[in-house]
Amino acid sequence: MKKISDITIIDDDAITVFGLRKLISSSVECNSIESYANGKIAIDALTDFFNNDHQIPQIIFLDINMPIMDGWEFLEAFLELPIKERIRINIVTSSIDPRDQKQWEFFKSKSHHLITFNQKPIDRNTITEITQVS
Amino acid sequence: MIKVPLVSNTSYIIRQLPTPTAFIDTDHNIVQTSDTWTSIFNENGESSKSKSLFAVFPKLSHKWKMVLDNCFNGNPQPMGIHQVIDAKGQELWFEWTNAPWYDMDENIIGAIIQLSNITDAVNNELELNKKNLLLQQQTEITKIGRWEYNIVDNQLFWCSTTKAIHEVPEHFSPDIENAIYYFKEGHSRNAISMALFEAQNNGKAYSNLKLQIITDTGKEKWVMAGGKPIYNKGEMVGLIGTFQDIHEQVEASIKTIDNEKLLRILIDNLPVNVYIKDTESRKVLINKAECEYLGVKDPKEILGKTDFELYPYESAEKSRAEDLRVMKTLKPVIGKETVNTRLNGKQTSFLSSKIPLLNNKGIAYGLVGISLDISKLKEKEKELRNIINIASVQNKKLLNFAHIVSHNLRSHSANFSMLLNFLESEKDEDEKKNIIEMLTQASNNLLETLDNLNEVVSINTNTNIEITEINLNDKVLDASQNLSAFISNSKAKIENNIPADFKVKSVPAYLDSILTNFITNAVKYRDPERESLVVLSAEKKGDYSILTIADNGLGIDLKKYGEKLFGMYKTFHDHKDARGIGLYLTKNQIDAMNGKVEVVSEIGKGTEFKIFFNEKN
């Protein structure tokens, strides 16, 4: 298993963040796991990384329903960053709204990053599968 | 012994007789004729003496021989009238008479035949017969009967047609009393009595009297009577007149009038606008509904006018073009939806038809227009469309809500299942404790979510919400009282500019919730740079009472968040108390009362919410 440098979790629900952290750290090896409570904080941090030539996290776990800036708004802003590497973005949601499915397909088609759509809850097997460098 | 008449002595006398006379002997030979005879029957005055009578008149019947033979025996008989052709070929009528011819010894030696020319009389009689026949035929065809009244001997004569009209037998002999009695009691009998009186006493003729009679068989009939006095040597001797059966015509014209009345009643009382236009598109007939639509009492105010005098120029021009097309192509316009704008700007929706009116040559001489006012129908249609729109919006809202519910419940259950999974395999006691704490947290979150959802459902399903008229100021005071600790802690100021007697129609509990939520939000999202000020005001506008809540807080980027402002669990401020439920609930409450919310905001300046309470509730 290839070692992963950095993982970022963007979710406003503390329990989900706790669970993801626990699952990831027990399934894969990585340098660091960062978490942000909404899209706005996350995009500000990542933009800052990019501007200062810091390493962009290789894998991002992204919630959709968040205050201030939701998952889709984050994605839109993130895709505007001219990042050369292929980042893996795992959308994690409990939504079964077909509109969210459509949004995902839309973003997937217009980006060179790997974007996946995952329903909560996520088990250990899924975590192992989606926590690989694309 | 054969007696030979002595003629020579007397022949000269005979020749001078003024009437055509011939003497014949017992052998029927003409012995002597008068010159008048000769001039009629003989060419060139040549005498037909010594010729046989039957040779001169070959057409004479042999019956005459017997008549003449009787005459020879002293029994002369009338010979009657016979037609002969004279020497010039003319048809002449003569009455023949004969008498025995005696000699001086009183012996019959022949017969004297005298002719009297009655050609003129016969011709007159023929003419009279012809005229009578003609008259009779005429009366039969025209059903115009005649009558004559002789004043002197009080005799009344009816011709057969007059009798037929009265339905009396041919042998009936009328008199002036029963003649009047045949007229129907009342107007008819009075009128004819008056007319006869005037004619007899003042010599006034009368004509074209349309009256009713009761015939002998009891039928009512319309007749036309006329009469005039006749005079002999300046003295009135009687009256003559005509008598005509006009029952069918009168009945037909009464029926026509009745039909016209019926048609007019129908046209006037149809619940549609009806008009007739001539080829110049001038209105020549309009019914009551059209009068009412055009706002006039008397159709005369409209008749003769064109659309150019009743409608704005543009629509009149369009209508005229359509009229011309209908009359030219003869193709009717049926059930076309139109909107008519009158000169006063009022608009009416019509379902209108235009049908060409054709003369007997198949050319249009105008058109009839029928317009059904469908404005109300259109309004209903609009209302219905509105209801469909509302239903579809609500449907969408419901689906959205279903997704929110599903999402929220799923996210909690996902957390439960994840945490329980961890708990199962966790060895570390401290971590176990931690996980159980989180489970408690998750359970509390779920309860809160369920409470929120419950609240939303109760707003949207409670159709029996009781809307009452509430003094807005009282409620604002209540809300400020309840929030007083929060407001004073936030060092905010509430400025209430609502008129003391301002009332709104609302569900009391919803009004409480709306005021609490908007005031709380206004204070909560204050700008830390300045003292918070919330200004409340109210006004009435149209069907709404409008409450305005303006603050000088942070403001919201409406371009970014406008659509989501009233969404569930949408928060736009990085604020620890933001739950994203308050505005969602109030919006639902306002919607449930048929109201609406408008928002104006500028980042760094503040936000202004306008809450519209529907006064039609």
Side-chain angles (χ1 to χ4, degrees):
Chain A
M1 191 183 292
K2 209 173 169 185
K3 200 184 166 199
I4 298 153
S5 55
D6 299 293
I7 293 175
T8 287
I9 301 167
I10 308 170
D11 200 319
D12 62 326
D13 181 30
I15 295 170
T16 307
V17 173
F18 167 80
L20 281 175
R21 271 179 185 279
K22 203 170 167 63
L23 280 171
I24 293 163
S25 53
S26 65
S27 310
V28 296
E29 275 186 66
C30 69
N31 285 346
S32 70
I33 302 174
E34 286 290 331
S35 65
Y36 305 98
N38 67 51
K40 180 86 175 79
I41 308 168
I43 196 69
D44 285 349
L46 292 183
T47 308
D48 205 42
F49 286 173
F50 180 78
N51 290 338
N52 296 312
D53 282 336
H54 280 287
Q55 170 78 45
I56 301 288
Q58 288 169 303
I59 296 171
I60 298 171
F61 286 86
L62 180 64
D63 184 25
I64 292 173
N65 288 303
M66 289 181 291
I68 304 177
M69 184 187 254
D70 69 16
W72 300 126
E73 285 162 344
F74 167 82
L75 252 189
E76 201 172 334
F78 182 76
L79 295 187
E80 271 170 30
L81 293 175
I83 298 164
K84 281 189 190 122
E85 299 94 326
R86 191 167 192 233
I87 309 294
R88 180 176 193 123
I89 302 159
N90 297 318
I91 295 166
V92 179
T93 182
S94 45
S95 165
I96 50 162
D97 192 334
R99 279 176 301 181
D100 287 332
Q101 194 87 16
K102 276 205 180 121
Q103 281 273 54
W104 165 57
E105 277 160 16
F106 166 73
F107 281 112
K108 200 171 68 167
S109 69
K110 74 172 214 180
S111 166
H112 71 284
H113 299 303
L114 174 67
I115 306 173
T116 65
F117 194 85
N118 308 274
Q119 295 272 347
K120 282 185 191 173
I122 293 179
D123 59 24
R124 206 171 291 276
N125 290 339
T126 315
I127 279 290
T128 316
E129 199 185 307
I130 63 173
T131 318
Q132 289 175 22
V133 178
S134 60
Chain B
M1 189 186 93
I2 296 169
K3 305 258 165 49
V4 179
L6 292 169
V7 291
S8 55
N9 303 353
T10 53
S11 69
Y12 190 68
I13 302 168
I14 291 168
R15 273 181 60 189
Q16 295 178 61
L17 285 172
T19 48
T21 311
F23 289 76
I24 58 167
D25 62 18
T26 48
D27 291 329
H28 308 113
N29 290 324
I30 297 170
V31 178
Q32 183 73 47
T33 58
S34 68
D35 286 350
T36 47
W37 177 291
T38 312
S39 70
I40 291 168
F41 299 111
N42 295 48
E43 261 180 291
N44 310 322
E46 188 194 309
S47 174
S48 45
K49 247 185 264 174
S50 70
K51 275 190 187 167
S52 163
L53 183 71
F54 295 105
V56 177
F57 303 106
K59 282 182 185 166
L60 281 182
S61 155
H62 281 268
K63 200 174 81 183
W64 284 35
K65 261 186 187 160
M66 268 168 56
V67 174
L68 287 172
D69 286 342
N70 282 337
C71 185
F72 297 150
N73 293 324
N75 296 319
Q77 285 168 334
M79 292 170 80
I81 297 158
H82 295 279
Q83 187 194 34
V84 291
I85 312 277
D86 73 357
K88 291 167 193 155
Q90 270 184 319
E91 271 181 18
L92 293 175
W93 289 91
F94 292 104
E95 188 172 12
W96 298 57
T97 49
N98 59 72
W101 179 15
Y102 295 96
D103 65 4
M104 284 186 286
D105 301 320
E106 294 295 318
N107 297 315
I108 294 172
I109 55 166
I112 309 162
I113 296 173
Q114 266 195 329
L115 304 180
S116 68
N117 189 343
I118 54 159
T119 306
D120 286 346
V122 168
N123 280 347
N124 282 346
E125 199 183 336
L126 277 177
E127 191 71 11
L128 191 67
N129 279 340
K130 219 163 94 186
K131 287 243 167 84
N132 273 339
L133 201 70
L134 218 74
L135 204 61
Q136 204 181 330
Q137 276 178 348
Q138 207 173 18
T139 45
E140 270 167 25
I141 291 164
T142 58
K143 288 188 179 168
I144 298 176
R146 287 173 292 123
W147 57 269
E148 279 179 51
Y149 175 58
N150 189 327
I151 290 175
V152 182
D153 50 14
N154 191 26
Q155 288 279 322
L156 179 65
F157 162 80
W158 281 356
C159 81
S160 56
T161 303
T162 305
K163 283 178 181 169
I165 293 170
H166 282 90
E167 295 183 326
V168 293
E170 191 61 41
H171 57 74
F172 178 82
S173 47
D175 60 52
I176 199 79
E177 276 77 30
N178 64 27
I180 289 171
Y181 191 70
Y182 275 109
F183 284 88
K184 193 180 171 184
E185 204 178 349
H187 168 74
S188 292
R189 199 177 292 170
N190 294 344
I192 197 68
S193 305
M194 287 289 292
L196 285 172
F197 179 84
E198 285 285 309
Q200 280 192 62
N201 294 284
N202 302 325
K204 269 193 189 164
Y206 62 92
S207 62
N208 296 338
L209 275 183
K210 273 188 199 175
L211 302 171
Q212 276 176 296
I213 59 163
I214 310 282
T215 69
D216 209 43
T217 62
K219 268 190 233 159
E220 257 187 42
K221 249 186 203 175
W222 282 96
V223 296
M224 178 121 81
K228 72 182 226 186
I230 46 172
Y231 297 88
N232 192 3
K233 290 170 190 160
E235 193 147 332
M236 192 191 298
V237 292
L239 302 169
I240 57 164
T242 56
F243 201 75
Q244 186 181 2
D245 183 349
I246 54 162
H247 193 68
E248 277 167 23
Q249 293 98 299
V250 171
E251 284 290 294
S253 77
I254 286 173
K255 211 162 203 174
T256 308
I257 290 166
D258 282 352
N259 281 341
E260 272 174 12
K261 265 189 197 159
L262 181 70
L263 194 66
R264 187 71 221 190
I265 287 171
L266 272 178
I267 288 174
D268 264 345
N269 292 290
L270 279 175
V272 293
N273 295 13
V274 178
Y275 57 82
I276 292 177
K277 283 177 176 175
D278 65 9
T279 48
E280 298 298 316
S281 288
R282 287 181 295 234
K283 286 194 168 154
V284 291
L285 179 150
I286 63 170
N287 73 342
K288 269 188 196 157
E290 177 82 354
C291 276
E292 273 164 31
Y293 166 66
L294 291 169
V296 296
K297 275 192 181 148
D298 194 343
K300 278 178 195 150
E301 292 177 49
I302 300 298
L303 296 184
K305 286 188 179 170
T306 67
D307 287 350
F308 289 95
E309 292 156 87
L310 303 169
Y311 299 103
Y313 185 80
E314 213 171 288
S315 55
E317 210 175 25
K318 245 189 221 168
S319 170
R320 170 66 176 154
E322 191 177 63
D323 290 355
L324 284 173
R325 197 175 61 243
V326 167
M327 290 188 280
K328 199 178 159 196
T329 61
L330 306 185
K331 273 185 195 152
V333 170
I334 304 286
K336 184 181 165 190
E337 258 189 43
T338 55
V339 177
N340 281 18
T341 310
R342 265 181 295 158
L343 287 173
N344 61 12
K346 265 193 183 171
Q347 286 197 325
T348 314
S349 292
F350 281 116
L351 204 60
S352 51
S353 302
K354 286 180 181 177
I355 298 129
L357 291 168
L358 307 186
N359 63 15
N360 50 17
K361 284 176 191 156
I363 297 163
Y365 65 89
L367 60 84
V368 55
I370 303 166
S371 306
L372 177 65
D373 186 344
I374 52 164
S375 303
K376 276 188 188 149
L377 225 66
K378 278 270 157 196
E379 217 156 273
K380 282 264 144 49
E381 196 184 309
K382 208 170 139 191
E383 256 171 47
L384 202 67
R385 213 172 282 150
N386 242 345
I387 288 169
I388 291 169
N389 279 346
I390 289 169
S392 103
V393 164
Q394 274 180 342
N395 220 356
K396 236 167 145 183
K397 225 167 93 181
L398 210 64
L399 191 68
N400 193 31
F401 183 68
H403 282 303
I404 290 169
V405 171
S406 141
H407 171 267
N408 291 355
L409 296 183
R410 279 169 58 88
S411 65
H412 290 300
S413 76
N415 281 350
F416 277 121
S417 114
M418 186 179 69
L419 290 172
L420 288 172
N421 242 332
F422 289 158
L423 198 61
E424 227 169 63
S425 52
E426 190 57 62
K427 301 266 161 35
D428 185 352
E429 284 302 316
D430 280 350
E431 185 70 355
K432 269 189 182 174
K433 231 176 155 185
N434 193 17
I435 292 168
I436 287 171
E437 241 169 59
M438 283 200 183
L439 272 172
T440 313
Q441 177 70 42
S443 157
N444 286 342
N445 288 351
L446 176 60
L447 279 177
E448 196 192 333
T449 301
L450 286 177
D451 275 349
N452 289 343
L453 295 180
N454 241 348
E455 211 169 327
V456 174
V457 169
S458 80
I459 291 166
N460 283 294
T461 54
N462 197 352
T463 48
N464 288 331
I465 48 172
E466 242 182 72
I467 289 171
T468 52
E469 206 164 34
I470 312 164
N471 185 300
L472 187 55
N473 252 308
D474 293 351
K475 287 287 178 187
V476 169
L477 287 177
D478 284 353
S480 322
Q481 207 85 61
N482 291 339
L483 293 170
S484 61
F486 168 64
I487 293 168
S488 66
N489 284 343
S490 311
K491 288 178 184 154
K493 247 179 142 182
I494 308 283
E495 188 183 315
N496 183 1
N497 295 333
I498 298 166
D501 57 349
F502 196 89
K503 285 180 177 168
V504 293
K505 285 186 175 170
S506 169
V507 178
Y510 290 0
L511 185 56
D512 289 336
S513 152
I514 289 163
L515 286 168
T516 308
N517 261 303
F518 280 104
I519 294 173
T520 307
N521 272 352
V523 175
K524 199 193 269 179
Y525 303 114
R526 66 188 175 275
D527 193 327
E529 302 289 315
R530 52 180 177 263
E531 200 168 90
S532 170
L533 176 67
V534 182
V535 182
L536 298 159
S537 57
E539 58 174 331
K540 303 251 177 203
K541 208 173 190 181
D543 292 332
Y544 294 101
S545 297
I546 306 163
L547 165 66
T548 306
I549 300 173
D551 66 49
N552 60 350
L554 293 166
I556 311 158
D557 185 349
L558 288 176
K559 259 186 210 159
K560 226 168 172 180
Y561 304 117
E563 277 177 35
K564 296 174 181 170
L565 189 56
F566 298 102
M568 198 177 190
Y569 299 121
K570 302 286 182 191
T571 50
F572 314 99
H573 295 95
D574 190 7
H575 199 286
K576 60 179 173 23
D577 291 333
R579 291 190 307 138
I581 190 80
L583 274 184
Y584 180 78
L585 284 179
T586 46
K587 176 74 165 68
N588 270 283
Q589 288 165 336
I590 293 164
D591 284 348
M593 298 188 295
N594 299 318
K596 57 180 181 176
V597 192
E598 282 176 5
V599 58
V600 185
S601 184
E602 201 177 322
I603 289 183
K605 287 261 170 81
T607 307
E608 186 184 281
F609 283 98
K610 278 183 189 292
I611 299 113
F612 290 71
F613 294 91
N614 199 323
E615 286 295 294
K616 279 201 287 189
N617 283 328

